[in-house]
Amino acid sequence: MQKLLFSILLIALICTACKRDSKTAGSTAATLTASPELLGGHWIAMDFCSRANQYGSVLQAMNNAHLPYAYAMTFNPGQPDSVTCYNGFETWNLPVKYNADTLELVGARQGKSVYLVYDSQQEKDLTMFDATTGRVQMDKFIKSRSEEAKDGYSAFLTALNHNVLGGLFTPVGKGASGDVQFSPGGFIQGLKDYNRYELCTAGDCFVAGQDVDVVTFYNSKVENSNRFMGYRFSAQNDTLSIFNLASTNPDEKGAYKINGVAYKLVRKKPQ
């Protein structure tokens, strides 16, 4: 497995070198290899966000492909020898070693390292190579442009929110009124009882198991207003059903089932 990982890394490095060689001979642009100063900021698992956009579902993005080693990573030039990783319910630091555009996250899982290759010439992204689970998994990370993100996971959620719930929605059925919008920053416009939301990506918030994706709705002005809701898109990703969830056993943590539709929303087509 390690030989396979190093072979893939070698191919990635050759491709990176080819991109550099494709630049015109007269170019005077400086070559900038990976460094804590250059990478400083939050990096998010964009491949995972794209899959969640395709399926309209975090669960399906997990089940039809794989979970990345981390949803996000933060590089801090003030701490050049480590990187902070986030998986939705944990935050941890790993030692990092730089070798030109290749980074080694030392001892990432069971003493095995995860590797990152930085494209310093064109895409300016990071490709993660993770062979710690028995097979090589690849994930692309991009640097977040969110200026309001307080940490890497917040930056990841901003991108995930945009990919899953982006756009303007029109309510249908009884009680329908104005348009509804879920902002990338986690705000809700158009629902009377709630003004904030957070998609479930890991941990105890998956209260309905594999039955349905979960989102938490709450009103930031009302104490203890948090409420688990289920959500599911139609096959075309244009109709969003949001479900009430009822506990099937109050004494058993995480035992919930769908208990009727709370909202049905149709995504407006761009003009």
Side-chain angles (χ1 to χ4, degrees):
M1 181 54 64
Q2 286 288 12
K3 290 182 179 179
L4 176 60
L5 175 59
F6 286 124
S7 296
I8 294 175
L9 282 170
L10 180 60
I11 293 171
L13 290 171
I14 291 172
C15 291
T16 301
C18 290
K19 290 179 181 178
R20 290 174 182 166
D21 291 343
S22 67
K23 296 174 70 70
T24 59
S27 174
T28 58
T31 299
L32 298 175
T33 57
S35 67
E37 292 75 22
L38 184 65
L39 299 181
H42 307 308
W43 291 77
I44 56 178
M46 197 59 213
D47 279 349
F48 185 86
C49 292
S50 297
R51 290 196 296 271
N53 173 278
Q54 175 187 351
Y55 298 118
S57 165
V58 171
L59 280 175
Q60 290 191 51
M62 295 176 176
N63 296 337
N64 292 328
H66 65 269
L67 269 175
Y69 171 74
Y71 283 135
M73 301 175 291
T74 297
F75 292 89
N76 181 355
Q79 298 175 323
D81 296 328
S82 67
V83 60
T84 304
C85 301
Y86 309 81
N87 66 6
F89 60 94
E90 292 177 316
T91 302
W92 67 100
N93 290 332
L94 283 175
V96 58
K97 294 181 180 178
Y98 291 81
N99 181 10
D101 283 339
T102 301
L103 290 72
E104 179 184 359
L105 307 188
V106 181
R109 187 153 39 203
Q110 297 178 345
K112 300 177 181 178
S113 295
V114 166
Y115 294 86
L116 302 168
V117 175
Y118 176 59
D119 183 349
S120 59
Q121 296 300 312
Q122 294 187 7
E123 283 80 8
K124 307 295 184 183
D125 57 26
L126 284 165
T127 301
M128 174 180 283
F129 296 86
D130 176 11
T132 61
T133 60
R135 58 191 180 92
V136 178
Q137 297 176 345
M138 297 173 57
D139 291 280
K140 184 174 78 172
F141 285 72
I142 65 170
K143 194 171 185 179
S144 171
R145 296 180 180 178
S146 174
E147 297 180 356
E148 299 179 358
K150 61 182 180 180
D151 55 34
Y153 184 63
S154 297
F156 167 76
L157 277 183
T158 298
L160 185 68
N161 291 343
H162 173 72
N163 277 272
V164 176
L165 293 177
L168 196 62
F169 294 85
T170 299
V172 296
K174 294 182 179 180
S177 55
D179 291 336
V180 176
Q181 188 167 23
F182 302 92
S183 80
F187 293 91
I188 305 173
Q189 295 179 351
L191 294 183
K192 182 177 67 173
D193 297 324
Y194 306 103
N195 63 7
R196 298 299 304 268
Y197 75 98
E198 183 171 334
L199 297 177
C200 177
T201 64
D204 294 339
C205 56
F206 281 122
V207 295
Q210 294 292 313
D211 290 344
V212 70
D213 279 277
V214 175
V215 58
T216 300
F217 282 178
Y218 63 99
N219 189 323
S220 59
K221 299 178 181 179
V222 179
E223 190 175 357
N224 298 322
S225 62
N226 293 24
R227 185 179 180 187
F228 289 130
M229 309 285 280
Y231 71 91
R232 182 181 295 142
F233 276 94
S234 63
Q236 293 74 33
N237 267 11
D238 57 0
T239 301
L240 172 63
S241 297
I242 299 175
F243 305 100
N244 295 310
L245 295 178
S247 176
T248 57
N249 186 348
D251 297 325
E252 183 179 342
K253 187 177 182 180
Y256 284 73
K257 67 177 182 179
I258 293 174
N259 188 32
V261 176
Y263 308 99
K264 192 170 185 178
L265 311 171
V266 174
R267 183 180 268 142
K268 283 190 169 182
K269 294 183 179 180
Q271 295 291 334

Short mmCIF file of all heavy atoms in Angstrom, two decimals, residues 146-200:
data_model
loop_
_atom_site.label_atom_id
_atom_site.label_comp_id
_atom_site.label_asym_id
_atom_site.label_seq_id
_atom_site.Cartn_x
_atom_site.Cartn_y
_atom_site.Cartn_z
N SER A 146 -13.89 32.85 2.71
CA SER A 146 -14.81 33.39 3.71
C SER A 146 -14.04 34.25 4.71
O SER A 146 -13.12 33.77 5.39
CB SER A 146 -15.52 32.25 4.45
OG SER A 146 -16.31 32.75 5.51
N GLU A 147 -14.41 35.49 4.80
CA GLU A 147 -13.73 36.42 5.70
C GLU A 147 -14.32 36.37 7.11
O GLU A 147 -13.73 36.90 8.05
CB GLU A 147 -13.82 37.85 5.15
CG GLU A 147 -13.11 38.03 3.81
CD GLU A 147 -13.20 39.44 3.28
OE1 GLU A 147 -13.89 40.26 3.93
OE2 GLU A 147 -12.59 39.74 2.24
N GLU A 148 -15.50 35.75 7.26
CA GLU A 148 -16.16 35.73 8.55
C GLU A 148 -15.94 34.42 9.30
O GLU A 148 -16.36 34.29 10.45
CB GLU A 148 -17.67 35.97 8.37
CG GLU A 148 -17.99 37.32 7.75
CD GLU A 148 -19.48 37.52 7.54
OE1 GLU A 148 -20.25 36.58 7.85
OE2 GLU A 148 -19.87 38.61 7.10
N ALA A 149 -15.34 33.43 8.65
CA ALA A 149 -15.15 32.12 9.28
C ALA A 149 -14.19 32.24 10.46
O ALA A 149 -13.07 32.72 10.32
CB ALA A 149 -14.63 31.12 8.26
N LYS A 150 -14.63 31.75 11.62
CA LYS A 150 -13.80 31.85 12.82
C LYS A 150 -12.77 30.72 12.89
O LYS A 150 -11.77 30.82 13.62
CB LYS A 150 -14.66 31.82 14.07
CG LYS A 150 -15.49 30.55 14.23
CD LYS A 150 -16.37 30.60 15.46
CE LYS A 150 -17.20 29.31 15.60
NZ LYS A 150 -18.07 29.34 16.80
N ASP A 151 -13.02 29.62 12.17
CA ASP A 151 -12.08 28.50 12.14
C ASP A 151 -12.30 27.70 10.86
O ASP A 151 -13.16 28.03 10.04
CB ASP A 151 -12.23 27.62 13.39
CG ASP A 151 -13.67 27.12 13.59
OD1 ASP A 151 -14.37 26.87 12.59
OD2 ASP A 151 -14.08 26.96 14.76
N GLY A 152 -11.53 26.62 10.70
CA GLY A 152 -11.63 25.84 9.48
C GLY A 152 -12.97 25.19 9.28
O GLY A 152 -13.48 25.13 8.15
N TYR A 153 -13.57 24.69 10.36
CA TYR A 153 -14.87 24.02 10.21
C TYR A 153 -15.95 25.00 9.80
O TYR A 153 -16.81 24.69 8.98
CB TYR A 153 -15.26 23.30 11.50
CG TYR A 153 -16.54 22.51 11.36
CD1 TYR A 153 -16.62 21.44 10.48
CD2 TYR A 153 -17.68 22.85 12.10
CE1 TYR A 153 -17.79 20.71 10.34
CE2 TYR A 153 -18.85 22.13 11.96
CZ TYR A 153 -18.90 21.06 11.08
OH TYR A 153 -20.07 20.35 10.93
N SER A 154 -15.91 26.20 10.35
CA SER A 154 -16.88 27.24 9.94
C SER A 154 -16.73 27.57 8.47
O SER A 154 -17.71 27.77 7.75
CB SER A 154 -16.69 28.50 10.79
OG SER A 154 -16.94 28.25 12.15
N ALA A 155 -15.48 27.62 7.99
CA ALA A 155 -15.23 27.88 6.57
C ALA A 155 -15.79 26.75 5.72
O ALA A 155 -16.39 26.98 4.66
CB ALA A 155 -13.73 28.05 6.32
N PHE A 156 -15.61 25.51 6.19
CA PHE A 156 -16.15 24.35 5.47
C PHE A 156 -17.68 24.41 5.41
O PHE A 156 -18.29 24.18 4.36
CB PHE A 156 -15.69 23.06 6.14
CG PHE A 156 -16.44 21.84 5.68
CD1 PHE A 156 -16.17 21.27 4.44
CD2 PHE A 156 -17.42 21.26 6.48
CE1 PHE A 156 -16.86 20.14 4.01
CE2 PHE A 156 -18.11 20.14 6.06
CZ PHE A 156 -17.84 19.58 4.81
N LEU A 157 -18.31 24.71 6.55
CA LEU A 157 -19.78 24.79 6.58
C LEU A 157 -20.30 25.85 5.62
O LEU A 157 -21.35 25.68 5.00
CB LEU A 157 -20.27 25.07 7.99
CG LEU A 157 -20.42 23.89 8.94
CD1 LEU A 157 -21.00 24.35 10.27
CD2 LEU A 157 -21.28 22.77 8.34
N THR A 158 -19.59 26.97 5.51
CA THR A 158 -20.01 28.02 4.58
C THR A 158 -20.08 27.49 3.16
O THR A 158 -21.06 27.72 2.43
CB THR A 158 -19.04 29.21 4.66
OG1 THR A 158 -19.06 29.77 5.98
CG2 THR A 158 -19.43 30.31 3.67
N ALA A 159 -19.06 26.74 2.75
CA ALA A 159 -19.04 26.15 1.40
C ALA A 159 -20.10 25.07 1.26
O ALA A 159 -20.78 24.98 0.23
CB ALA A 159 -17.66 25.60 1.09
N LEU A 160 -20.24 24.22 2.29
CA LEU A 160 -21.23 23.14 2.23
C LEU A 160 -22.64 23.71 2.16
O LEU A 160 -23.48 23.23 1.38
CB LEU A 160 -21.08 22.25 3.46
CG LEU A 160 -21.96 21.00 3.49
CD1 LEU A 160 -21.53 20.02 2.42
CD2 LEU A 160 -21.92 20.35 4.88
N ASN A 161 -22.94 24.72 2.97
CA ASN A 161 -24.27 25.34 2.94
C ASN A 161 -24.60 25.85 1.54
O ASN A 161 -25.72 25.66 1.04
CB ASN A 161 -24.32 26.51 3.92
CG ASN A 161 -24.26 26.07 5.37
OD1 ASN A 161 -24.49 24.92 5.70
ND2 ASN A 161 -23.92 27.00 6.26
N HIS A 162 -23.63 26.51 0.92
CA HIS A 162 -23.84 27.04 -0.43
C HIS A 162 -24.13 25.93 -1.42
O HIS A 162 -25.00 26.06 -2.29
CB HIS A 162 -22.62 27.84 -0.86
CG HIS A 162 -22.66 28.29 -2.29
ND1 HIS A 162 -23.49 29.30 -2.73
CD2 HIS A 162 -21.99 27.84 -3.39
CE1 HIS A 162 -23.33 29.46 -4.04
NE2 HIS A 162 -22.42 28.59 -4.45
N ASN A 163 -23.42 24.82 -1.29
CA ASN A 163 -23.57 23.72 -2.25
C ASN A 163 -24.85 22.92 -2.04
O ASN A 163 -25.43 22.41 -3.00
CB ASN A 163 -22.36 22.79 -2.17
CG ASN A 163 -21.20 23.28 -3.00
OD1 ASN A 163 -21.09 22.98 -4.18
ND2 ASN A 163 -20.33 24.08 -2.39
N VAL A 164 -25.31 22.80 -0.80
CA VAL A 164 -26.50 21.98 -0.53
C VAL A 164 -27.78 22.81 -0.58
O VAL A 164 -28.77 22.39 -1.19
CB VAL A 164 -26.37 21.28 0.84
CG1 VAL A 164 -27.65 20.51 1.18
CG2 VAL A 164 -25.18 20.33 0.85
N LEU A 165 -27.77 23.98 0.04
CA LEU A 165 -29.01 24.75 0.18
C LEU A 165 -28.95 26.10 -0.53
O LEU A 165 -29.75 26.99 -0.24
CB LEU A 165 -29.33 24.97 1.67
CG LEU A 165 -29.70 23.72 2.46
CD1 LEU A 165 -29.91 24.05 3.93
CD2 LEU A 165 -30.94 23.04 1.89
N GLY A 166 -28.04 26.25 -1.47
CA GLY A 166 -27.94 27.51 -2.19
C GLY A 166 -29.14 27.78 -3.07
O GLY A 166 -29.83 26.86 -3.53
N GLY A 167 -29.43 29.05 -3.28
CA GLY A 167 -30.54 29.44 -4.14
C GLY A 167 -31.71 30.00 -3.36
O GLY A 167 -31.69 30.09 -2.13
N LEU A 168 -32.75 30.36 -4.10
CA LEU A 168 -33.96 30.93 -3.52
C LEU A 168 -35.09 29.92 -3.66
O LEU A 168 -35.26 29.31 -4.72
CB LEU A 168 -34.33 32.22 -4.25
CG LEU A 168 -35.33 33.17 -3.59
CD1 LEU A 168 -34.81 33.68 -2.25
CD2 LEU A 168 -35.64 34.34 -4.52
N PHE A 169 -35.86 29.72 -2.59
CA PHE A 169 -36.91 28.72 -2.57
C PHE A 169 -38.28 29.36 -2.40
O PHE A 169 -38.43 30.37 -1.70
CB PHE A 169 -36.70 27.73 -1.42
CG PHE A 169 -35.48 26.87 -1.56
CD1 PHE A 169 -34.24 27.32 -1.13
CD2 PHE A 169 -35.56 25.60 -2.11
CE1 PHE A 169 -33.11 26.52 -1.25
CE2 PHE A 169 -34.45 24.79 -2.24
CZ PHE A 169 -33.22 25.26 -1.81
N THR A 170 -39.27 28.74 -3.03
CA THR A 170 -40.66 29.17 -2.89
C THR A 170 -41.44 28.10 -2.14
O THR A 170 -41.43 26.93 -2.55
CB THR A 170 -41.32 29.41 -4.26
OG1 THR A 170 -40.61 30.43 -4.96
CG2 THR A 170 -42.77 29.82 -4.10
N PRO A 171 -42.12 28.46 -1.04
CA PRO A 171 -42.92 27.46 -0.32
C PRO A 171 -44.13 27.03 -1.16
O PRO A 171 -44.67 27.82 -1.92
CB PRO A 171 -43.36 28.20 0.94
CG PRO A 171 -42.51 29.42 1.03
CD PRO A 171 -42.14 29.76 -0.37
N VAL A 172 -44.54 25.79 -0.99
CA VAL A 172 -45.75 25.29 -1.65
C VAL A 172 -46.65 24.66 -0.60
O VAL A 172 -46.20 24.23 0.46
CB VAL A 172 -45.42 24.26 -2.75
CG1 VAL A 172 -44.62 24.90 -3.86
CG2 VAL A 172 -44.65 23.08 -2.18
N GLY A 173 -47.95 24.60 -0.90
CA GLY A 173 -48.90 24.01 0.02
C GLY A 173 -49.54 25.04 0.92
O GLY A 173 -49.37 26.25 0.76
N LYS A 174 -50.27 24.54 1.91
CA LYS A 174 -50.99 25.41 2.83
C LYS A 174 -50.03 26.27 3.64
O LYS A 174 -48.97 25.82 4.08
CB LYS A 174 -51.84 24.56 3.78
CG LYS A 174 -52.97 23.82 3.08
CD LYS A 174 -53.81 23.05 4.09
CE LYS A 174 -54.97 22.33 3.39
NZ LYS A 174 -55.79 21.57 4.36
N GLY A 175 -50.41 27.49 3.83
CA GLY A 175 -49.62 28.40 4.64
C GLY A 175 -48.42 28.98 3.93
O GLY A 175 -47.59 29.64 4.56
N ALA A 176 -48.29 28.72 2.65
CA ALA A 176 -47.15 29.25 1.90
C ALA A 176 -47.23 30.76 1.81
O ALA A 176 -48.31 31.33 1.64
CB ALA A 176 -47.12 28.65 0.49
N SER A 177 -46.09 31.40 1.93
CA SER A 177 -46.07 32.87 1.85
C SER A 177 -44.91 33.31 0.98
O SER A 177 -44.85 32.96 -0.19
CB SER A 177 -46.01 33.48 3.25
OG SER A 177 -44.90 32.97 3.97
N GLY A 178 -43.96 34.06 1.56
CA GLY A 178 -42.86 34.61 0.77
C GLY A 178 -41.74 33.61 0.53
O GLY A 178 -41.77 32.47 0.99
N ASP A 179 -40.73 34.06 -0.21
CA ASP A 179 -39.60 33.21 -0.54
C ASP A 179 -38.76 32.90 0.70
O ASP A 179 -38.74 33.64 1.69
CB ASP A 179 -38.72 33.89 -1.59
CG ASP A 179 -39.40 33.96 -2.95
OD1 ASP A 179 -40.28 33.13 -3.20
OD2 ASP A 179 -39.04 34.85 -3.74
N VAL A 180 -38.03 31.78 0.61
CA VAL A 180 -37.16 31.32 1.69
C VAL A 180 -35.75 31.21 1.15
O VAL A 180 -35.54 30.72 0.04
CB VAL A 180 -37.63 29.96 2.24
CG1 VAL A 180 -36.65 29.45 3.30
CG2 VAL A 180 -39.03 30.07 2.83
N GLN A 181 -34.78 31.67 1.93
CA GLN A 181 -33.39 31.58 1.52
C GLN A 181 -32.53 31.14 2.69
O GLN A 181 -32.70 31.62 3.82
CB GLN A 181 -32.89 32.93 0.99
CG GLN A 181 -31.51 32.86 0.36
CD GLN A 181 -31.17 34.11 -0.44
OE1 GLN A 181 -31.74 35.17 -0.19
NE2 GLN A 181 -30.28 33.99 -1.40
N PHE A 182 -31.59 30.22 2.42
CA PHE A 182 -30.63 29.75 3.40
C PHE A 182 -29.26 30.31 3.00
O PHE A 182 -28.71 29.92 1.98
CB PHE A 182 -30.58 28.22 3.43
CG PHE A 182 -31.90 27.57 3.72
CD1 PHE A 182 -32.76 27.21 2.68
CD2 PHE A 182 -32.30 27.32 5.03
CE1 PHE A 182 -33.98 26.61 2.94
CE2 PHE A 182 -33.52 26.72 5.30
CZ PHE A 182 -34.36 26.36 4.25
N SER A 183 -28.73 31.22 3.78
CA SER A 183 -27.48 31.86 3.40
C SER A 183 -26.30 30.93 3.70
O SER A 183 -26.37 30.08 4.59
CB SER A 183 -27.30 33.18 4.16
OG SER A 183 -26.83 32.93 5.47
N PRO A 184 -25.19 31.09 2.97
CA PRO A 184 -24.00 30.28 3.26
C PRO A 184 -23.51 30.44 4.70
O PRO A 184 -22.92 29.53 5.26
CB PRO A 184 -22.96 30.80 2.26
CG PRO A 184 -23.78 31.33 1.12
CD PRO A 184 -24.99 31.93 1.77
N GLY A 185 -23.78 31.60 5.29
CA GLY A 185 -23.34 31.85 6.66
C GLY A 185 -24.21 31.23 7.73
O GLY A 185 -23.95 31.41 8.92
N GLY A 186 -25.27 30.49 7.32
CA GLY A 186 -26.11 29.80 8.29
C GLY A 186 -27.34 30.56 8.73
O GLY A 186 -27.99 30.19 9.71
N PHE A 187 -27.72 31.62 8.00
CA PHE A 187 -28.92 32.38 8.32
C PHE A 187 -30.10 31.93 7.46
O PHE A 187 -29.92 31.49 6.32
CB PHE A 187 -28.68 33.88 8.10
CG PHE A 187 -27.69 34.48 9.05
CD1 PHE A 187 -26.33 34.53 8.72
CD2 PHE A 187 -28.09 35.00 10.26
CE1 PHE A 187 -25.40 35.08 9.59
CE2 PHE A 187 -27.17 35.56 11.15
CZ PHE A 187 -25.83 35.60 10.81
N ILE A 188 -31.30 32.04 8.02
CA ILE A 188 -32.53 31.70 7.30
C ILE A 188 -33.35 32.97 7.15
O ILE A 188 -33.56 33.71 8.11
CB ILE A 188 -33.38 30.66 8.06
CG1 ILE A 188 -32.59 29.41 8.37
CG2 ILE A 188 -34.63 30.31 7.25
CD1 ILE A 188 -33.33 28.41 9.25
N GLN A 189 -33.84 33.20 5.95
CA GLN A 189 -34.80 34.28 5.70
C GLN A 189 -36.10 33.67 5.18
O GLN A 189 -36.07 32.82 4.28
CB GLN A 189 -34.24 35.26 4.67
CG GLN A 189 -33.02 36.01 5.14
CD GLN A 189 -32.49 36.96 4.07
OE1 GLN A 189 -32.93 36.94 2.93
NE2 GLN A 189 -31.52 37.79 4.44
N GLY A 190 -37.22 34.05 5.77
CA GLY A 190 -38.51 33.63 5.26
C GLY A 190 -39.24 32.57 6.07
O GLY A 190 -40.38 32.23 5.75
N LEU A 191 -38.63 32.05 7.14
CA LEU A 191 -39.32 31.12 8.03
C LEU A 191 -39.60 31.83 9.35
O LEU A 191 -38.67 32.30 10.02
CB LEU A 191 -38.48 29.85 8.29
CG LEU A 191 -38.23 28.93 7.10
CD1 LEU A 191 -37.46 27.70 7.54
CD2 LEU A 191 -39.52 28.53 6.41
N LYS A 192 -40.86 31.88 9.72
CA LYS A 192 -41.27 32.72 10.84
C LYS A 192 -40.61 32.33 12.17
O LYS A 192 -40.22 33.21 12.96
CB LYS A 192 -42.80 32.63 11.00
CG LYS A 192 -43.35 33.50 12.12
CD LYS A 192 -44.87 33.42 12.19
CE LYS A 192 -45.33 32.04 12.60
NZ LYS A 192 -46.81 32.00 12.83
N ASP A 193 -40.45 31.04 12.42
CA ASP A 193 -40.00 30.60 13.74
C ASP A 193 -38.50 30.44 13.87
O ASP A 193 -37.99 30.24 14.99
CB ASP A 193 -40.67 29.26 14.08
CG ASP A 193 -42.18 29.38 14.19
OD1 ASP A 193 -42.65 30.44 14.66
OD2 ASP A 193 -42.89 28.44 13.79
N TYR A 194 -37.78 30.52 12.76
CA TYR A 194 -36.34 30.25 12.81
C TYR A 194 -35.56 31.27 11.98
O TYR A 194 -36.04 31.72 10.95
CB TYR A 194 -36.04 28.84 12.28
CG TYR A 194 -36.83 27.75 12.96
CD1 TYR A 194 -37.94 27.17 12.35
CD2 TYR A 194 -36.47 27.30 14.23
CE1 TYR A 194 -38.66 26.18 12.97
CE2 TYR A 194 -37.19 26.30 14.86
CZ TYR A 194 -38.29 25.75 14.22
OH TYR A 194 -39.02 24.76 14.85
N ASN A 195 -34.35 31.58 12.46
CA ASN A 195 -33.49 32.48 11.68
C ASN A 195 -32.07 31.95 11.49
O ASN A 195 -31.24 32.60 10.86
CB ASN A 195 -33.43 33.87 12.32
CG ASN A 195 -32.81 33.87 13.72
OD1 ASN A 195 -32.30 32.86 14.19
ND2 ASN A 195 -32.88 35.02 14.39
N ARG A 196 -31.76 30.75 12.03
CA ARG A 196 -30.45 30.15 11.86
C ARG A 196 -30.59 28.65 11.59
O ARG A 196 -31.58 28.03 11.96
CB ARG A 196 -29.58 30.35 13.11
CG ARG A 196 -29.27 31.82 13.46
CD ARG A 196 -28.51 32.54 12.37
NE ARG A 196 -27.28 31.88 11.99
CZ ARG A 196 -26.09 32.13 12.53
NH1 ARG A 196 -25.98 33.03 13.50
NH2 ARG A 196 -25.01 31.51 12.11
N TYR A 197 -29.55 28.08 10.96
CA TYR A 197 -29.55 26.64 10.72
C TYR A 197 -28.12 26.12 10.70
O TYR A 197 -27.17 26.88 10.50
CB TYR A 197 -30.25 26.30 9.40
CG TYR A 197 -29.43 26.62 8.16
CD1 TYR A 197 -28.68 25.64 7.50
CD2 TYR A 197 -29.38 27.93 7.64
CE1 TYR A 197 -27.93 25.93 6.38
CE2 TYR A 197 -28.62 28.22 6.51
CZ TYR A 197 -27.90 27.22 5.89
OH TYR A 197 -27.15 27.51 4.78
N GLU A 198 -27.96 24.80 10.90
CA GLU A 198 -26.66 24.15 10.77
C GLU A 198 -26.87 22.73 10.27
O GLU A 198 -27.60 21.94 10.87
CB GLU A 198 -25.91 24.12 12.10
CG GLU A 198 -24.52 23.51 11.97
CD GLU A 198 -23.68 23.67 13.22
OE1 GLU A 198 -23.91 24.62 13.99
OE2 GLU A 198 -22.78 22.82 13.43
N LEU A 199 -26.25 22.42 9.14
CA LEU A 199 -26.32 21.07 8.59
C LEU A 199 -25.52 20.10 9.46
O LEU A 199 -24.45 20.44 9.96
CB LEU A 199 -25.76 21.05 7.17
CG LEU A 199 -26.50 21.88 6.11
CD1 LEU A 199 -25.77 21.79 4.77
CD2 LEU A 199 -27.94 21.40 5.96
N CYS A 200 -26.05 18.90 9.61
CA CYS A 200 -25.34 17.86 10.36
C CYS A 200 -24.31 17.21 9.45
O CYS A 200 -24.63 16.77 8.34
CB CYS A 200 -26.33 16.82 10.87
SG CYS A 200 -25.55 15.44 11.74
#
